[in-house]
Each structure stands twice: as C-alpha cells, then as structure tokens.
C-alpha cells in the first residue's frame, strides 16, 4: 500500500471518537495500514500533539472492538497522530495546514498522497473542498481522495448543487461517499453470494420470489440530534441513503465474472428501473408515522413532540414504510417493502426474501425464507419448509445457518477506510446512485411537505403504525418476525423459535 497522509476534519467530534479512531487502530493491529502513515487531525479546539494523542487513546479504550493489551504497539500507533487548529472558513488556516502537511511528508520521506476525510456537518463540505483546491493542498504530485459522510444534500436540487461544487475540486473517482451500511460484512457478502452461488442466481427473480422485505428499526429516539433530525426525518436520515442502498444490493444481479468495482453499474440499473411515484398518489405506496409516548423494554419513554429541542407542533416523520416496484426482466411485479423507524420494539436491520409458496393440500401457505440479519447480530439463514413424513400436510421448518466468517469481525468503518486507502470505490455510493435515489424520493418529500400523506401516530415500543401492516396485507403478505401483543413469536406452537447466529 502506498504511503498516505490522512487529513481529518472534525478530529475532535463524536464520529471520529466512536468510529474512525477505533477503525484505524484495528487496521493498524491487523497490519492493514500503509507502512508509512500519518494522520493530521483538525478542529477548532485547543490541543497539543500530546493531548490529541491522549484523546485518541481514550476513544480506543472506550470504543475499540479489540482490547488494548500491548502498550508499546499502542504508542507506535499514537505517534502517527498530529494536531492542527483550523477554522473551516479561514483561508490562512489552510496555508498553515499545507505547510504542516508538507513538513510531515518530508520528515517521513513519503509521497504526497493525501486522503481528506470530512467528518463534519454538511454545511462545511463545499467550503472545505474549495479551500483544499485554492490552497494547493490537493495539487501535490501524488493522489488525492475525498471521503465525505452523509447527508449528501437535503433534496434533489441541493444534492446536485453540492456535487457540482465538489466536482470543481475533485473528480468522481476521487470522491468516496460513505454509507456505513455498505461496509457491513453481511451487506458486502450479498455481492459475493451472487457471484459464487449459481443456485442463488437461479432463485433471484420474479419466477421464484414472492416479495422482499427490508427493515431497519431503532429503539432510540432522537437523542442529541433534535436540531438535525427535525429537519431531516426518517425519509432523509435513513430511507434515501441506507435503505435504498440495501435495496440496490439485494436487487442487483452480479455476474460471476464481474470485475471488482463494476457492481455499481448494476446498482444504478436497479435505480433506473425503479417505478417512479407521482406526488399526488404517494399515499398509496408510502406510510409515514411519528412516535408517541410508550414503553421500550418496560421503560416509559416520551413522545417525539415532547423531546427536548422538538417543536410541539412538529409533523416530522420518525417512521417511513413504502412499497417499491422494479420494472425490469428480473423483478417485474415483485413488491419490495421497506420500513425504517425510531422508538420501535427492537433494534434490528434485516432483509427477508420470501419465496413463492409451497402449499399443502389444504391450501395453507408455507413460504420458504432467506434471511439476512445485518445487525446487531449478523447471519444468513435459510428457512425452508419440508413435508413431515408422519403428517402428509404438515410442514416443519428446517433452518440452515450459512456461516460466513467466524471470529472477531471487522466493523463497517474498518472495511470502508481500508477500501478508501486502497482507492477501491466498490462499496461507496457513486453520484449516479445518489442522484437517482434523490430523484425517486423527491415526490415523497413534496407530498410530506404538502401533507398529502397522512401522518400516523404510533406508540413507542411497537412496530410502527398499523397502516404499514395493511400495506402488505393488501397484497396478501405480512411483515416477518414481528412479535405482536400476546404472541411470543411468528412460529406455530411446537416449532423451534427463529434463531439469530452471530458466528457467521
């Protein structure tokens, strides 16, 4: 791997503390960092190099998946870190930063390969990119890359404006838009399964699949993000990016001979085939909700409009469910159901592929399921129905766990930062995907703003508004693995309960 200087904007922020520093340390422990690596942290707070290194060490001890036992190795890692005070809007600070970067590169005798990581609010993206270009930070005789976090725009037009501004300083192949769901091991496994499993490729179409369900539910409320979340809602915070990326990954067909990185063209094809919505008819395919007071794990919690920092009259969405259709030769007439929400009964991210029915003589349904548990537990489970020899019309579920990679598994940010260091764009969002996602969501945003879609209230600790159940019931389906009141599980009496498997 080539020598690299990582220039981290927002180095004292929460994301850096919880995700970026632990990811870098684990890459270092696994010998995946470049042999000549340097990080310059930027922020507005006062820090010496020593106090900044102490700050990084504290984050590792608190958030790293790997326990720190080797103090000598830790110190070797921390010596890579330097700190520089920077105001994102001050031209003079970028000149000072350039001097520091060049001095560090000269001291280490490394090439000027620079990875700019923007772990800051979106209001700083354009400003920082412009200063990188104007200051000469991005004009060295090595490569440069820009890593940015969501949100990438607030709607279709602002996303296009942002991309146009960034493109003045960086080319598309130099921009790495992080969606951390794409770094999750199970999500990345989807592409590999398509390429290596001919049976799965055979099953992956409307000939075999009845419907696909994608759920990302959270038990938490808005926490410390009230200002941002009340402007974004679930539609912008989750649906436009994470949920549609999961849709692209599960609906794409990746040929066995597909070169690495070319999978993004397949994802784009899915979005291009996604049936668009008309603003006036959005309510027929989209459910929006907002949580009220309720209980989470037997603990009372307040409703959304009672949260600190939230307007008591807010009509912001904390839950979105939708039915989507893909008009291509693979998926025509197969509904894809997506839902995401806060203050739900359980924390879970899951994809369920329901195959077309195997029916008994009495006509009862016994669908086979392929389940991708993405978080917090991770597993791929095939649940299929096998006719019981003792009861001709009874179907007993047989579950086959498909382990993927046992042991201490890298977290999403480790995978993504490693890819960015290698210049591998495979699991980053291409501009085409981002633009097409906003294009599909734009009529929904407008319908929400004009109150053309009812805002359904749901009690905290449930699975969202009852209307989201009806969205599936109209097609003869239901959400899998929801535990209804007085119903301990989806399984019939006598059947083995559905199991989660963490050693995948």
């Amino acid at each position: 791997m080539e020598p690299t200087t990582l220039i981290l904007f927002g180095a004292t922020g929460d994301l850096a503390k919880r995700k970026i520093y632990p990811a870098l340390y684990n890459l270092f422990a696994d010998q995946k960092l470049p042999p000549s690596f340097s990080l310059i942290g930027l922020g507005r707070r006062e820090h010496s190099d020593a106090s900044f290194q102490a700050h990084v060490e504290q984050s590792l001890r608190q958030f790293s998946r790997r326990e720190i036992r080797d103090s000598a190795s830790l110190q070797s890692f921390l010596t890579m870190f330097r700190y520089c005070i920077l105001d994102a809007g001050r031209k003079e600070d970028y000149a000072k930063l350039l001097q520091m970067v060049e001095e560090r590169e000269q001291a280490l005798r490394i090439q000027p390969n620079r990875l700019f990581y923007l772990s800051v609010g979106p209001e700083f993206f354009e400003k920082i990119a412009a200063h990188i270009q104007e200051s000469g930070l991005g004009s060295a005789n090595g490569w440069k890359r820009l890593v940015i976090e969501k949100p990438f725009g607030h709607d279709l037009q602002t996303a296009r404006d942002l991309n146009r501004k960034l493109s003045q300083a960086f080319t598309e192949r130099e921009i790495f838009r992080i969606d951390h769901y794409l770094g999750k091991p199970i999500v990345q496994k989807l592409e590999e399964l398509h390429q290596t499993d001919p049976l799965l490729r055979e099953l992956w179409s409307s000939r075999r699949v009845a419907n696909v369900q994608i759920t990302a539910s959270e038990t938490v409320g808005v926490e410390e993000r009230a200002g941002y979340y009340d402007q974004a809602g679930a539609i912008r915070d989750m649906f436009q990016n994470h949920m549609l990326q999961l849709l692209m990954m599960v609906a794409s067909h990746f040929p066995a001979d597909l070169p690495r990185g070319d999978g993004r063209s397949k994802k784009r094809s899915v979005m291009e085939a996604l049936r668009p919505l008309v603003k006036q008819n959005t309510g027929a395919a989209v459910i929006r909700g907002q949580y009220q007071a309720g209980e989470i794990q037997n603990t009372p919690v307040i409703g959304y409009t009672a949260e600190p920092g939230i307007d008591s009259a807010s009509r912001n969405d904390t839950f979105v469910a939708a039915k989507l259709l893909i008009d291509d030769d693979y998926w025509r007439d197969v509904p894809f159901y997506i839902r995401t929400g806060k203050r739900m009964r359980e924390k879970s991210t899951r994809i369920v592929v329901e195959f077309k029915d195997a029916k008994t003589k009495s006509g009862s349904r016994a669908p086979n399921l392929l389940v991708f548990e993405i978080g917090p537990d991770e597993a791929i489970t095939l649940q299929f129905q096998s006719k019981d020899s003792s009861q001709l019309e009874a179907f007993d579920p047989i579950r086959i766990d498909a382990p993927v990679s046992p042991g201490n598994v890298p977290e999403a940010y480790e995978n993504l930062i490693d890819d960015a260091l290698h210049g591998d764009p495979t699991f980053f969002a291409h501009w085409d995907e981002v633009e097409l996602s906003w294009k599909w969501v734009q009529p929904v945003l407008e319908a929400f703003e004009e109150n053309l879609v009812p805002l359904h209230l749901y009690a905290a600790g449930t699975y969202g508004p009852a209307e989201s159940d009806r969205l599936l019931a109209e097609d003869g389906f239901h959400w899998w693995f929801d535990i209804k009141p007085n119903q301990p599980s989806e399984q019939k009496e006598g059947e083995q309960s559905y199991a989660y498997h963490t050693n995948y």
Side-chain angles (χ1 to χ4, degrees), residues 328-377:
D328 65 14
D329 292 338
Y330 292 111
W331 296 113
R332 188 165 284 108
D333 298 328
V334 176
F336 285 73
Y337 303 107
I338 296 179
R339 63 173 172 175
T340 182
K342 288 189 174 294
R343 285 294 189 214
M344 308 241 320
R345 179 174 177 127
E346 63 175 345
K347 175 179 174 61
S348 178
T349 303
R350 175 190 298 131
I351 299 173
V352 180
V353 180
E354 179 179 333
F355 296 100
K356 292 189 173 177
D357 297 350
K359 294 186 178 180
T360 66
K361 292 180 181 179
S362 62
S364 61
R365 298 180 60 223
N368 301 326
L369 306 176
L370 180 59
V371 183
F372 298 89
E373 291 288 351
I374 298 169
D377 299 310

Side-chain angles (χ1 to χ4, degrees), residues 12-149:
T12 59
D14 197 56
L15 178 64
K17 178 177 69 175
R18 291 174 177 270
K19 296 296 182 182
I20 298 173
Y21 299 142
L24 288 169
Y25 176 73
N26 284 297
L27 289 172
F28 171 79
D30 290 334
Q31 299 183 331
K32 291 183 177 179
L33 283 185
S36 295
F37 177 81
S38 177
L39 184 145
I40 297 177
L42 308 172
R44 287 176 292 185
R45 299 177 188 174
E46 292 279 351
H47 268 300
S48 65
D49 289 344
S51 65
F52 177 52
Q53 291 169 5
H55 170 79
V56 173
E57 179 179 353
Q58 183 181 26
S59 79
L60 301 181
R61 296 192 181 280
Q62 188 173 0
F63 296 109
S64 174
R65 66 175 173 84
R66 179 184 269 115
E67 185 179 350
I68 299 172
R69 296 176 179 174
D70 187 341
S71 59
S73 176
L74 173 63
Q75 289 308 310
S76 178
F77 174 73
L78 293 174
T79 58
M80 301 175 179
F81 287 69
R82 298 290 186 273
Y83 187 79
C84 180
I85 296 175
L86 181 136
D87 183 325
R90 288 193 63 200
K91 181 179 180 179
E92 299 82 1
D93 286 2
Y94 289 87
K96 179 179 65 174
L97 173 61
L98 175 60
Q99 180 180 352
M100 183 177 183
V101 170
E102 289 178 337
E103 289 175 354
R104 184 72 175 145
E105 290 168 342
Q106 291 168 9
L108 296 174
R109 297 181 180 180
I110 62 175
Q111 293 175 296
N113 299 320
R114 298 167 186 172
L115 181 69
F116 301 94
Y117 196 131
L118 275 54
S119 178
V120 294
E123 65 272 20
F124 296 108
F125 290 171
E126 295 178 17
K127 186 183 303 182
I128 291 174
H131 278 300
I132 288 172
Q133 182 186 32
E134 294 167 4
S135 66
L137 274 162
S139 303
N141 193 27
W143 54 253
K144 69 179 188 294
R145 294 171 193 146
L146 180 73
V147 177
I148 58 174
E149 296 276 346

Side-chain angles (χ1 to χ4, degrees), residues 126 151-165 177 231-232 235-236 240-241 244 271 276-277 430-446 449:
E126 295 178 17
F152 198 89
H154 189 71
D155 53 22
L156 179 58
Q157 188 56 53
T158 57
R160 285 172 170 167
D161 292 343
L162 173 58
N163 192 67
R164 178 172 47 81
K165 295 287 183 61
R177 301 173 189 84
Q231 299 300 313
I235 189 69
R236 292 182 173 93
Q240 180 274 331
N241 38 73
L244 288 180
M271 290 305 300
L277 295 179
H430 190 280
W431 165 241
D432 291 345
E433 301 165 26
V434 175
E435 183 179 36
L436 288 166
S437 296
W438 276 120
K439 190 174 181 180
W440 192 90
V441 165
Q442 187 62 38
V444 182
L445 298 178
E446 295 170 4
E449 289 166 5

Side-chain angles (χ1 to χ4, degrees), residues 426-489:
T426 301
F427 293 108
F428 292 86
H430 190 280
W431 165 241
D432 291 345
E433 301 165 26
V434 175
E435 183 179 36
L436 288 166
S437 296
W438 276 120
K439 190 174 181 180
W440 192 90
V441 165
Q442 187 62 38
V444 182
L445 298 178
E446 295 170 4
F448 283 11
E449 289 166 5
E450 297 176 28
N451 287 319
L452 299 178
V453 179
L455 181 67
H456 301 287
L457 302 178
Y458 63 96
T462 65
Y463 289 97
E467 286 75 13
S468 70
D469 294 328
R470 289 199 280 273
L471 190 66
L472 278 69
E474 290 173 355
D475 298 326
F477 303 120
H478 64 87
W479 295 106
W480 285 97
F481 308 117
D482 283 7
I483 303 173
K484 302 301 182 183
N486 303 317
Q487 179 187 344
S489 73

Side-chain angles (χ1 to χ4, degrees), residues 100-339:
M100 183 177 183
V101 170
E102 289 178 337
E103 289 175 354
R104 184 72 175 145
E105 290 168 342
Q106 291 168 9
L108 296 174
R109 297 181 180 180
I110 62 175
Q111 293 175 296
N113 299 320
R114 298 167 186 172
L115 181 69
F116 301 94
Y117 196 131
L118 275 54
S119 178
V120 294
E123 65 272 20
F124 296 108
F125 290 171
E126 295 178 17
K127 186 183 303 182
I128 291 174
H131 278 300
I132 288 172
Q133 182 186 32
E134 294 167 4
S135 66
L137 274 162
S139 303
N141 193 27
W143 54 253
K144 69 179 188 294
R145 294 171 193 146
L146 180 73
V147 177
I148 58 174
E149 296 276 346
K150 76 173 181 74
F152 198 89
H154 189 71
D155 53 22
L156 179 58
Q157 188 56 53
T158 57
R160 285 172 170 167
D161 292 343
L162 173 58
N163 192 67
R164 178 172 47 81
K165 295 287 183 61
L166 294 183
S167 297
Q168 294 172 4
F170 295 86
T171 66
E172 176 60 29
R173 64 182 180 85
E174 293 174 328
I175 300 175
F176 291 72
R177 301 173 189 84
I178 276 195
D179 186 313
H180 73 271
Y181 274 52
L182 294 179
K184 293 177 180 291
I186 291 292
V187 177
Q188 296 191 350
K189 191 68 181 175
L190 283 167
E191 181 173 340
E192 181 183 337
L193 284 173
H194 274 284
Q195 292 180 297
T196 60
D197 192 329
L199 177 60
L200 187 63
R201 290 201 300 272
E202 169 64 23
L203 294 173
W204 226 242
S205 73
S206 59
R207 293 176 57 245
R208 304 286 189 178
V209 176
N211 73 84
V212 179
Q213 303 175 15
I214 306 173
T215 295
S217 59
E218 301 177 275
T219 56
V220 298
V222 294
E223 297 181 301
E224 306 299 322
R225 304 168 69 218
Y228 159 74
Y229 194 84
D230 203 43
Q231 299 300 313
I235 189 69
R236 292 182 173 93
D237 186 51
M238 290 289 295
F239 196 98
Q240 180 274 331
N241 38 73
H242 302 322
M243 305 308 290
L244 288 180
Q245 282 292 337
L246 291 180
L247 171 74
M248 287 180 242
M249 289 300 296
V250 77
S252 293
H253 284 70
F254 302 108
D257 58 351
L258 185 73
R260 185 170 175 83
D262 287 4
R264 298 201 296 182
S265 65
K266 302 299 181 184
K267 292 168 62 184
R268 182 177 65 246
S269 296
V270 169
M271 290 305 300
E272 289 172 341
L274 201 59
R275 187 180 299 177
L277 295 179
V278 177
K279 179 178 66 174
Q280 288 75 11
N281 299 330
T282 297
V286 178
I287 306 297
R288 70 167 173 162
Q290 184 185 96
Y291 67 82
Q292 292 181 299
E295 288 189 355
I296 301 289
Q297 298 175 348
N298 299 319
T299 300
V301 296
I302 59 177
Y304 177 74
T305 55
E307 297 276 13
I310 301 297
D311 191 321
S312 60
S314 174
R315 292 183 58 80
N316 187 38
D317 50 284
T318 65
F319 174 97
V320 173
K323 173 184 173 181
L324 300 89
L325 294 167
I326 301 171
D327 289 328
D328 65 14
D329 292 338
Y330 292 111
W331 296 113
R332 188 165 284 108
D333 298 328
V334 176
F336 285 73
Y337 303 107
I338 296 179
R339 63 173 172 175

